[in-house]
Amino acid sequence: MIIHQLSIFLENKSGRLTEVLEVLGEENIRITALSVADTTEFGLLRLIVSDPEKAREILKKQNFTVNLTEVISVMAPNEAKYYAKILKILSDLDISVEYTYAFSVGAKSIIILRCSNTEDAIKALKSHEMELMKASDLYKI
Amino acid sequence: MEIWNRHFECMDRKGIKNVQSERLRETVEKVYFNVPYYRNRMQEAGLGPESIQTIDDIAKLPFTTKRDLRDNYPFGLFAVPMSEIVRVHASSGTTGKPTVVGYTRNDISTWSEVMARTLTSAGATRNDFIQVAYGYGLFTGGLGLHYGGEKIGASVIPISGGNTQRQIQLMHDFGSTVLACTPSYALFLAEAIQESGIKRDELKLRVGVFGAEPWTENMRREIEDKLSIKAIDIYGLSEVIGPGVASECPVQEGLHINEDHFYPEIIDPETLHVLPEGSTGELVFTTLTKEGLPLIRYRTRDLTKLTYDKCKCSRTMVRMEKCLGRSDDMLIIRGVNLFPSQVESVLLEMSEIKPHYLLIVDRVNNLDTLELKVEVDEAFFQDKISQLEMLRQKLQNNLENALGLGIKVTLVEPKIIERSEGKSKHVIDKRKF
């Protein structure tokens, strides 16, 4: 249930994102989801890819600062109320969501969540019969 | 042209030499018997107090460096008991430890005397209002100008540095005629005055006394043009006494060194040999009258040259050229001394940061800016913006505390900072001197 997301430190310089994607593209790494968080001076690129370990090695060799971060993923109908429900389950248990992003596949949303406590979050969502995605399934998309 | 102390400032060369010889003998005796460090150094060199008879014997004596001051931190080189010390000042050092200087009552009086000469030679009199916008405190700038101003009987405004709006208001309301600050702050102030809408003829400012950082002839012209004043260059360093070591006269062909108190030599920083008159080299000072912290052949690291020709102003005191370079890696940022090694020691204390860094010094709107680019350690890197921001802020705070300077910290990707064989290049100084 734990998904390994790539987190990459990037300076806010034009062309840096392109370089990351080119490096991964050359090694046939597929990207399931991508999100960028930025400040005025630097950004964090977050990626769900087909082979996180391999992608990390490739980027490391190219001198990127990269880490694997544990996140979870929930599939739900792509309506706001389901997203709200998921967040409420977590906040009711004082599990904070550090960040989240989502994308749609047909009528379904795939939601990525980074929580203060991953194990507790998984338990809580399972007990509310939420559909947690397996890492292997997510990487395949 | 007024001269504060015609007896010494216009003394013939032979007379100056006699004064220097006599005072050097006294100084050497003083340090030999009162400062173990100097006694040891002299004994190692096979010297006793009797080895030094005239000023020409000075070349026998060992040099003193900033490192020696640091190794004897804080008071190890003082030549009098602490009960005789009435004031201490300090400037930033290379490892976070400041360089401490101590003054006896007589030293304060000497300092006031040389600052009175400085201000008089800049054209200030008892009828002037002197706005002292140098920092007051451990830095010698503020209090040095202050005592000199009082000595000549001028009215001193001890406003200290910063707070530009208030500077302009008091300059206008009090009718300040003399401004004392760093040259870069003078330019900054000039532009702030223009923006404030105050007309030049509402101000009575006529002369500026500027120092504590390197500045060019171009900057001088810009200041003189923008503020419609005469800009006078002054030179000093806290180890020797503070401001008042040397200053320009209205002729502005070099800075007269108060050589009856501070004996200058020019040496080759590599071979340490004394260079002949007119050669450019490192300036070295021996204090001739100081009691609290006498210094023997102190290496300033400032590069300049000397001329003993008589000046048109009729002063005979030796002149040094405007200092523009250094023989070490010290930077002067807004009047504050900064060694790259100080930055490095802060970085080494923080495990989250690799000690790969690049300091970028620039001058924006006439004020020095300092930026540090530093690499995040991969082991620490996590994907939380807040954590990285906190790290950046912590580093910025640690640096500001250690350096006494505002600094902008930027986190960069690894291997961005160029590695080179041996010593890597850590500083880019974009300022043009």
Side-chain angles (χ1 to χ4, degrees), chain B residues 184-238:
Chain B
S184 53
Y185 189 64
L187 267 181
F188 184 79
L189 207 50
E191 289 182 357
I193 290 170
Q194 278 172 359
E195 284 164 19
S196 74
I198 290 177
K199 289 195 190 71
R200 179 59 185 89
D201 56 16
E202 293 174 46
L203 298 176
K204 292 183 177 155
L205 207 60
R206 60 183 183 82
V207 71
V209 182
F210 306 125
E213 65 183 18
W215 52 311
T216 56
E217 282 305 322
N218 280 341
M219 257 181 101
R220 190 212 296 275
R221 275 191 292 276
E222 206 180 333
I223 293 172
E224 292 190 331
D225 192 44
K226 284 191 169 152
L227 282 173
S228 307
I229 58 171
K230 194 164 183 80
I232 294 287
D233 190 14
I234 64 170
Y235 173 85
L237 60 166
S238 62

Side-chain angles (χ1 to χ4, degrees), chain B residues 40 55 58 60 67 79 81-82 89 102-103 110 112 116 142 148 168 173 192 216 231 233 262 274 331 343 396 417 423:
Chain B
N40 293 340
I55 195 71
I58 199 164
K60 296 176 185 170
R67 194 198 164 92
M82 287 310 286
H89 281 281
Y103 302 75
T110 301
S112 309
I168 296 171
D173 298 354
T216 56
D233 190 14
F262 320 111
V274 178
L331 297 161
V343 172
Q396 189 157 318
I417 293 158
K423 205 177 174 188

Side-chain angles (χ1 to χ4, degrees), chain B residues 130-149:
Chain B
I130 304 181
Q131 183 159 342
V132 180
Y134 279 112
Y136 277 65
L138 285 175
F139 176 55
T140 50
L143 283 165
L145 264 296
H146 185 101
Y147 275 59

Side-chain angles (χ1 to χ4, degrees), chain B residues 359-416:
Chain B
L359 261 180
I360 301 164
V361 188
D362 205 348
R363 191 162 273 175
V364 179
N365 294 330
N366 302 312
L367 279 189
D368 295 337
T369 60
L370 195 58
E371 183 187 2
L372 178 80
K373 286 184 187 274
V374 67
E375 294 177 4
V376 186
D377 192 337
E378 196 170 83
F380 176 79
F381 168 69
Q382 290 183 9
D383 82 329
K384 280 176 81 176
I385 295 265
S386 58
Q387 209 158 8
L388 289 167
E389 259 309 312
M390 259 164 59
L391 171 64
R392 201 189 63 78
Q393 196 57 50
K394 179 177 159 196
L395 179 56
Q396 189 157 318
N397 291 346
N398 288 358
L399 284 166
E400 290 184 357
N401 285 336
L403 311 180
L405 269 172
I407 187 166
K408 176 176 183 262
V409 172
T410 308
L411 302 177
V412 298
E413 293 170 28
K415 313 283 172 11
I416 290 289

Side-chain angles (χ1 to χ4, degrees), chain A residues 35-55:
Chain A
S35 141
V36 179
D38 66 325
T39 70
T40 50
E41 276 147 23
F42 61 85
L44 285 176
L45 173 63
R46 291 161 181 151
L47 292 176
I48 308 280
V49 298
S50 51
D51 188 342
E53 280 297 340
K54 185 179 166 196

